[in-house]
């Protein structure tokens, strides 16, 4: 079983699949070592790691595909990737899917955010209002999914559709979009930002129970008090994503250590807050690399 097949098997398993998004490949190894069965690649974490900036959609499809490749190369578990809006029209969506597939992604998701060239401007050149700027028409999202399904070479590459329509247009519109994406060939669905457990149950009942399609919960802080993984499993979800947990943990840990070093000028008291060198060395040099660089006669 390859990683794409393994990822699909995890989604079919009644046990909740928890997928933290890695800040970088080293962080991906830490996530894998902690026992998670998949690792995520996301726009916010990648923008922070590569640019030191928030997710202002500055990274291109090619740059994000490179992040996917580096992450796939670093771990042995499946990698699930954010493909944003597909980076343009249907032709760009197809190209993005091919790049992510070639990079080794086990799955990806496409959202109904406006394409970058459309976002934030009206025909008169002024900034659009919040509702018009939230999501593209349903037909455009469905077209993205159709283009993605047609473009993949490996049928085991999982394609998820994500809709953000609930907040601006309500649960009925969001579910209509989800059903349209299932009809277009989506393998999984995320209806983002439900406001209550009642809405969450309705999502899983309509998409998972009735149509047999796994659903993803986005555990973004601030959207709502996030349920635990066990509670999400009871609600019928198959997958939950943790978009910035690792990046925020890293930011706090580095800020605390560097702040104390700046104040004291003494690194010695910080030793118990750092990974031992041997542990860090093992993470940065996985077994196959250590095997390759060991002098003749020293390999075990």
């Amino acid at each position: 079983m390859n990683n794409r097949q393994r990822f699909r098997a995890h989604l079919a398993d009644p046990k909740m699949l928890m997928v933290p998004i890695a800040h970088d490949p080293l962080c991906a190894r830490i996530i894998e070592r902690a026992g998670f069965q998949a690792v995520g690649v996301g726009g916010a974490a990648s923008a922070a790691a590569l640019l030191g900036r928030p997710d202002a959609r500055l990274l291109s499809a090619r740059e994000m595909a490179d992040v996917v490749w580096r992450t796939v190369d670093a771990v042995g578990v499946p990698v699930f990737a954010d493909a944003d809006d597909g980076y343009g029209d249907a032709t760009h969506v197809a190209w993005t899917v091919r790049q992510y597939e070639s990079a080794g992604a086990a799955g990806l998701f496409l959202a109904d955010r406006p394409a970058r060239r459309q976002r934030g401007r009206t025909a008169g050149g002024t900034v659009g209002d919040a509702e018009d700027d939230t999501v593209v028409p349903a037909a455009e999202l469905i077209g993205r999914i159709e283009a993605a399904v047609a473009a993949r070479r490996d049928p085991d590459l999982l394609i998820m559709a994500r809709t953000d329509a609930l907040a601006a247009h309500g649960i009925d519109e969001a579910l209509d979009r989800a059903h349209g994406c299932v009809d277009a060939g989506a393998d999984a669905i995320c209806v983002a930002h439900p406001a209550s457990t009642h809405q969450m149950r309705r999502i899983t009942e309509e998409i998972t129970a009735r149509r047999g399609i796994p659903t993803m919960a986005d555990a973004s802080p601030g959207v709502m008090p996030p349920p635990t993984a066990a509670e999400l499993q009871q609600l019928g979800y198959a997958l939950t994503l943790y978009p910035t947990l690792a990046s925020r943990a890293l930011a706090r840990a580095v800020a605390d250590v560097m702040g104390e070093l700046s104040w004291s000028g003494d690194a010695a008291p910080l030793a118990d807050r750092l990974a031992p060198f041997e542990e860090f060395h093992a993470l940065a040099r996985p077994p196959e690399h250590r095997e390759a660089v060991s002098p003749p006669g020293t390999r075990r």
Side-chain angles (χ1 to χ4, degrees):
M1 183 181 291
N2 62 37
N3 267 347
R4 289 179 182 147
Q5 295 166 338
R6 190 171 292 114
F7 188 66
R8 286 176 174 266
H10 289 323
L11 289 180
D13 192 310
K15 184 179 179 182
M16 170 64 62
L17 178 62
M18 301 165 63
V19 183
I21 285 182
H23 184 79
D24 54 27
L26 183 65
C27 181
R29 285 212 184 107
I30 295 170
I31 291 169
E32 180 182 34
R33 177 176 283 193
F36 290 94
Q37 295 177 309
V39 170
V41 167
S46 298
L50 297 179
L51 305 176
R53 294 180 179 273
D55 185 15
R57 308 173 93 186
L58 298 173
L59 295 173
S60 68
R62 180 65 260 169
E63 289 170 314
M64 285 300 298
D66 187 59
V67 176
V68 172
W69 180 86
R70 292 174 188 275
T71 307
V72 169
D73 187 61
V75 298
V77 296
V79 173
F80 181 55
D82 176 3
D84 204 275
D85 55 41
Y87 299 89
D89 60 18
T91 301
H92 291 90
V93 170
W95 178 239
T96 297
V97 169
R98 291 284 178 87
Q99 290 186 87
Y100 277 44
E101 185 175 21
S102 296
L108 59 88
F109 67 89
L110 291 156
D112 53 7
R113 299 173 70 183
R116 297 161 190 237
R117 68 186 189 284
Q118 300 169 337
R119 193 168 177 82
R121 296 285 169 184
T122 66
T126 58
V127 176
D129 63 44
E131 185 169 327
D132 290 340
D133 204 35
T134 301
V135 292
V136 298
E140 188 167 341
L141 171 62
I142 292 168
R144 290 174 183 175
I145 299 304
E146 290 173 339
V149 170
R152 66 181 170 191
R153 296 184 176 94
D154 183 352
D156 286 326
L157 175 70
L158 184 130
I159 294 174
M160 175 185 287
R162 169 185 166 131
T163 176
D164 288 84
L166 192 156
H169 302 287
I171 184 70
D172 291 336
E173 168 68 15
L175 284 170
D176 284 346
R177 289 175 180 238
H179 284 298
C181 290
V182 173
D183 292 339
D187 302 301
I189 293 291
C190 174
V191 177
H193 312 321
S196 66
T197 53
H198 173 75
Q199 288 187 344
M200 299 175 91
R201 285 194 188 95
R202 185 174 170 194
I203 291 165
T204 58
E205 285 172 1
E206 287 206 22
I207 304 302
T208 301
R210 295 180 189 172
R211 304 212 59 180
I213 299 295
T215 47
M216 179 178 84
D218 185 345
S220 299
V223 174
M224 61 175 292
T228 65
E231 290 168 338
L232 289 171
Q233 181 177 314
Q234 290 177 345
L235 286 166
Y237 286 98
L239 164 68
T240 183
L241 205 62
Y242 298 90
T244 59
L245 200 64
S247 296
R248 290 163 58 218
L250 182 149
R252 170 59 61 86
V254 173
D256 287 350
V257 167
M258 292 303 157
E260 187 165 332
L261 178 63
S262 175
W263 172 77
S264 70
D266 184 2
L270 302 173
D272 61 350
R273 292 159 61 183
L274 308 178
F277 180 78
E278 294 78 11
E279 179 182 336
F280 174 77
H281 193 61
L283 280 168
R285 296 179 66 197
E288 68 273 13
H289 179 76
R290 292 196 296 273
E291 185 81 5
V293 300
S294 297
T298 64
R299 298 178 184 176
R300 296 182 181 179

